[in-house]
Amino acid sequence: MNPTDHIPPVLTLAEAKAQFVHTWGVSGANWGVSKTLAQVHALLLVSPGALSTEDLMEQLKISRGNASMTVRELLDMGLVYKELRPGERREYFIAEKDMLQVTRCIIRVRKRRELDQMKRSLDQLANLPGDPADAEYRAFHATLTDIQQLATVSDKLLTRLMQAERSWFWDKFIKLFT
Amino acid sequence: MNPTDHIPPVLTLAEAKAQFVHTWGVSGANWGVSKTLAQVHALLLVSPGALSTEDLMEQLKISRGNASMTVRELLDMGLVYKELRPGERREYFIAEKDMLQVTRCIIRVRKRRELDQMKRSLDQLANLPGDPADAEYRAFHATLTDIQQLATVSDKLLTRLMQAERSWFWDKFIKLFT
DNA sequence: CACAAGTTTCAATAATTATTGAAACTTGTG
DNA sequence: CACAAGTTTCAATAATTATTGAAACTTGTG
């Protein structure tokens, strides 16, 4: 009896990939993107080569329209690239595999959606005139200013993280926290 | 003509508060909590005193059930406290006004929902055995390891931010980025 | 320019998530 | 313990968001 015979792999590679796609899909829903978007991203991340719309439809069992729109959104986010093959009409897609780049894209997209928009509304409100002698006004204004300051700090932190070079900020963080 | 006569306040305090509640509600939706939850939080943040369920229902035009569940969720998150008044059945609620505390609560809740759960699933997958001679397996494993490392760094960063004392980490960040 | 092989759009529909409101429950008091 | 004054639960419904799939569109080629 071969000594490795009795240690069967728990999952085949294909099964592990499928599970990753599933997991990433669930996580995506928690992150505020659609399950399909996360799954398409996951599938492209673990596929060595580029995939066509047809491949995505088939492997994830989604419609052509869904595949088309989702892929376009991933292209907009910068998480996926088009791969054109000479002499072929069909478009292929390949994921950005460098996790530093992926992180940057995700931070950029989420910052825009979650922070920038709020900041714009707050700036407007915080500058409103009011009677500085009115205690209620002062309280309101103080709360708003606090929130604004927080938003500003978060903004700058995220901007730095986004621009970080692997060599500098990133390594610094890894060293600090690993 | 008094020189200030022709500069009427653009909004009254009440209007500004209403607008803040609205803004915070819209932002809340982008942050992955329900609009109502964000609005209740906003209203409590800008109210000098504590409010009852009845007050919330009336001011935000929401049902009793909604108010009750939303307030409980905010209590669970640690963003809102109960205020009990001797001799009264009715419960009043007051928001945590210290923005450092508020930030901690939000980080904690979001980390749990968005990161911790994903990390658990990933850890399981990344430890799967496979044939190290298989290039496809190595690629898959490398991607997973990268993601895992990223998740770990994010986790530690957020944990630090969460435990940060105003005097230390917080000021450091403010200085670094303001 | 007609056609083949694709992609994109978008109205209809399905799936999901949030909200209502009435009934059940809780708790303090005479 | 009966009642008053609240709170909570949860099934039904409303609102929102995601998905489908067919029609319109695009683009390269004989």
Side-chain angles (χ1 to χ4, degrees):
Chain A
M1 181 172 154
N2 187 310
T4 62
D5 275 357
H6 59 105
I7 308 175
V10 186
L11 293 178
T12 65
L13 186 54
E15 282 168 344
K17 284 185 180 182
Q19 199 171 315
F20 174 71
V21 170
H22 176 259
T23 292
W24 204 245
V26 172
S27 294
N30 291 333
W31 279 62
V33 299
S34 83
K35 195 189 61 175
T36 301
L37 186 122
Q39 286 186 330
V40 169
H41 186 218
L43 183 54
L44 289 172
L45 270 178
V46 295
S47 299
L51 299 182
S52 67
T53 306
E54 212 73 40
D55 296 329
L56 296 173
M57 287 168 62
E58 193 183 317
Q59 294 199 40
L60 298 175
K61 307 235 183 318
I62 57 176
S63 70
R64 186 172 300 283
N66 198 359
S68 168
M69 295 180 89
T70 300
V71 152
R72 191 152 63 88
E73 205 175 332
L74 284 166
L75 287 167
D76 285 348
M77 290 187 186
L79 291 172
V80 161
Y81 307 114
K82 252 184 197 168
E83 186 183 285
L84 294 174
R85 298 186 181 172
E88 269 202 82
R89 273 302 295 286
R90 189 170 288 196
E91 297 172 334
Y92 290 83
F93 305 97
I94 191 154
E96 169 62 64
K97 297 271 170 58
D98 177 349
M99 281 299 145
L100 175 57
Q101 290 296 348
V102 171
T103 306
R104 281 196 190 129
C105 287
I106 291 175
I107 291 178
R108 180 162 39 78
V109 167
R110 298 194 71 175
K111 176 165 130 46
R112 195 158 48 203
R113 193 180 60 184
E114 301 185 5
L115 193 61
D116 298 352
Q117 198 185 314
M118 184 182 81
K119 226 159 157 293
R120 234 169 291 128
S121 317
L122 281 181
D123 290 348
Q124 222 181 336
L125 275 176
N127 290 330
L128 278 180
D131 179 4
D134 176 1
E136 218 186 307
Y137 168 78
R138 279 207 314 278
F140 175 67
H141 194 262
T143 298
L144 240 61
T145 305
D146 276 5
I147 294 173
Q148 227 186 350
Q149 189 186 2
L150 198 65
T152 302
V153 172
S154 310
D155 189 344
K156 295 193 177 186
L157 171 58
L158 291 174
T159 300
R160 281 258 179 133
L161 280 175
M162 221 154 61
Q163 295 168 342
E165 283 308 314
R166 196 185 314 278
S167 55
W168 181 63
F169 217 75
W170 202 244
D171 280 3
K172 205 167 157 185
F173 266 107
I174 290 178
K175 255 179 227 137
L176 250 172
F177 297 110
T178 308
Chain B
M1 180 172 152
N2 186 311
T4 62
D5 275 356
H6 58 105
I7 309 172
V10 187
L11 294 178
T12 66
L13 186 54
E15 283 167 341
K17 283 184 180 181
Q19 198 171 316
F20 174 70
V21 170
H22 176 259
T23 293
W24 204 246
V26 172
S27 293
N30 291 333
W31 280 60
V33 300
S34 84
K35 195 189 62 175
T36 301
L37 185 122
Q39 286 186 330
V40 169
H41 186 219
L43 183 55
L44 290 170
L45 270 177
V46 296
S47 299
L51 299 182
S52 67
T53 306
E54 211 73 41
D55 296 328
L56 296 173
M57 286 168 62
E58 193 183 316
Q59 294 199 41
L60 298 176
K61 308 236 184 319
I62 56 175
S63 71
R64 186 173 301 284
N66 197 359
S68 169
M69 294 180 90
T70 300
V71 150
R72 191 152 64 87
E73 204 175 331
L74 284 166
L75 288 166
D76 286 347
M77 291 187 188
L79 292 172
V80 160
Y81 306 115
K82 252 185 199 170
E83 186 183 284
L84 294 174
R85 297 184 182 173
E88 268 201 83
R89 273 303 295 286
R90 188 171 288 195
E91 297 173 334
Y92 291 82
F93 306 96
I94 192 154
E96 169 63 61
K97 297 271 172 59
D98 177 350
M99 281 299 145
L100 176 57
Q101 291 295 349
V102 171
T103 305
R104 281 197 190 125
C105 288
I106 291 175
I107 291 178
R108 181 163 38 78
V109 168
R110 296 195 71 175
K111 176 165 129 48
R112 193 158 49 204
R113 194 181 58 184
E114 302 185 3
L115 193 62
D116 298 352
Q117 198 187 315
M118 183 180 82
K119 226 162 156 293
R120 233 167 294 127
S121 315
L122 282 180
D123 289 347
Q124 223 180 333
L125 276 177
N127 291 330
L128 279 181
D131 178 4
D134 176 1
E136 217 185 308
Y137 168 78
R138 279 208 315 277
F140 175 68
H141 195 262
T143 298
L144 240 62
T145 305
D146 276 4
I147 293 172
Q148 227 186 350
Q149 188 186 3
L150 198 65
T152 302
V153 172
S154 310
D155 189 345
K156 295 194 176 183
L157 171 57
L158 290 174
T159 301
R160 282 257 178 133
L161 279 176
M162 219 153 62
Q163 294 168 343
E165 283 308 314
R166 197 183 313 278
S167 55
W168 182 63
F169 218 73
W170 202 245
D171 280 2
K172 205 168 155 185
F173 266 108
I174 290 178
K175 257 180 227 137
L176 250 171
F177 296 111
T178 309

